[in-house]
């Protein structure tokens, strides 16, 4: 099946194949560094996420690519679209904030409306009939530590490539194998 490609790799020689492997590793490492750099700039572990369900239609559709930020000094307002992750659940959820509560951490400040770092949030999908309390797995509210980021922008339908690779793992492995093979046999 791959006999011609294997012959081509043998003709290249060990040093050339090693150089191609190092070039491929450099490309992968560069991508990871860019991802981590974006995470540092935006203050979120996932600066880009893909919408996986229709719960936010018509604002976002399945396959839309979302760009997130999570500035530590800003508070969330009703209407903000957030991505949150509940402990023990693998997939983050994209929903709109429908209610916020600022709680003072100092008991002497209870009567004063101040900017606090302890904010409680209630969310709901635009296409859902009820709020998300059932999704919180025993939590009454979301806290700042559950928030992955606030949506700042999106590209429609670009995320379908990611959805296809998750739904069909063979496609992902075929694509990675093809890219790796092309990196090895490329002569430049």
């Amino acid at each position: 099946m791959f006999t011609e490609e294997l012959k081509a790799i043998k003709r290249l020689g060990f040093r050339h194949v090693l150089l191609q492997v190092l070039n491929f590793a450099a490309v992968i490492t560069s991508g990871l560094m860019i991802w981590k750099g974006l995470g540092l700039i935006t203050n979120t572990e996932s600066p880009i996420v893909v919408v996986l369900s229709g719960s936010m239609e018509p604002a976002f559709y399945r396959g839309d690519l979302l760009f997130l930020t999570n500035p530590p000094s800003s508070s969330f307002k009703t209407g903000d679209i957030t991505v949150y992750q509940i402990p023990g659940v693998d997939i983050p959820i994209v929903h709109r904030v429908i209610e916020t509560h600022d709680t003072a951490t100092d008991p002497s400040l209870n009567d004063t409306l101040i900017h606090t770092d302890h904010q409680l949030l209630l969310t709901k999908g635009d296409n859902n009939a009820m709020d998300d309390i059932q999704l919180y797995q025993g939590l009454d509210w979301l806290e700042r530590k559950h928030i992955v980021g606030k949506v700042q922008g999106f590209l429609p339908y670009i995320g379908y490539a990611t959805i296809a690779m998750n739904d069909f793992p063979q496609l992902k492995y075929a694509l990675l194998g093809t890219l790796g093979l092309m990196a090895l046999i490329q002569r430049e």
Side-chain angles (χ1 to χ4, degrees):
M1 181 176 188
F2 295 109
T3 55
E4 291 298 318
E5 287 82 5
L6 290 174
K7 286 179 185 176
I9 290 172
K10 286 180 182 177
R11 278 193 306 264
L12 291 175
F14 176 74
R15 291 181 70 150
H16 189 73
V17 169
L18 182 62
L19 179 64
Q20 294 298 72
V21 168
L22 289 175
N23 282 337
F24 186 67
V27 168
I28 298 297
T29 304
S30 297
L32 291 173
M33 288 183 351
I34 290 169
W35 180 259
K36 285 298 182 182
L38 278 174
L40 286 172
I41 292 169
T42 60
N43 192 39
T44 179
E45 63 189 43
S46 295
I48 299 171
V49 296
V50 175
V51 178
L52 298 176
S53 74
S55 67
M56 279 301 292
E57 291 179 3
F60 301 119
Y61 293 91
R62 188 171 196 261
D64 288 354
L65 195 69
L66 306 179
F67 301 101
L68 309 178
T69 61
N70 195 8
S73 60
S74 70
S75 60
F76 294 94
K77 301 180 295 279
T78 300
D80 286 343
I81 300 173
T82 62
V83 177
Y84 66 89
Q85 180 128 21
I86 300 298
V89 178
D90 294 335
I91 299 173
I93 299 170
V94 180
H95 280 174
R96 190 179 304 274
V97 174
I98 60 169
E99 195 174 327
T100 65
H101 291 281
D102 292 324
T103 59
T105 53
D106 183 357
S108 65
L109 299 175
N110 279 342
D111 295 333
T112 310
L113 188 61
I114 58 166
H115 174 72
T116 63
D117 58 352
H118 192 71
Q119 189 176 34
L120 302 174
L121 306 172
L122 180 63
T123 59
K124 176 185 169 297
D126 289 357
N127 202 20
N128 294 350
M130 297 180 62
D131 59 35
D132 292 345
I133 289 179
Q134 300 89 345
L135 299 175
Y136 297 165
Q137 295 191 354
L139 299 172
D140 292 329
W141 299 91
L142 289 177
E143 296 179 28
R144 182 79 183 202
K145 65 183 177 184
H146 300 121
I147 303 297
V148 176
K150 185 189 299 189
V151 176
Q152 298 298 327
F154 76 101
L155 288 174
Y157 308 115
I158 302 295
Y160 267 115
T162 301
I163 292 173
M165 285 190 268
N166 284 336
D167 289 349
F168 306 104
Q170 300 87 353
L171 177 65
K172 177 175 29 180
Y173 298 131
L175 181 64
L176 287 174
T178 303
L179 288 174
L181 188 61
M182 286 176 63
L184 283 176
I185 63 174
Q186 184 182 16
R187 294 185 183 261
E188 293 180 17

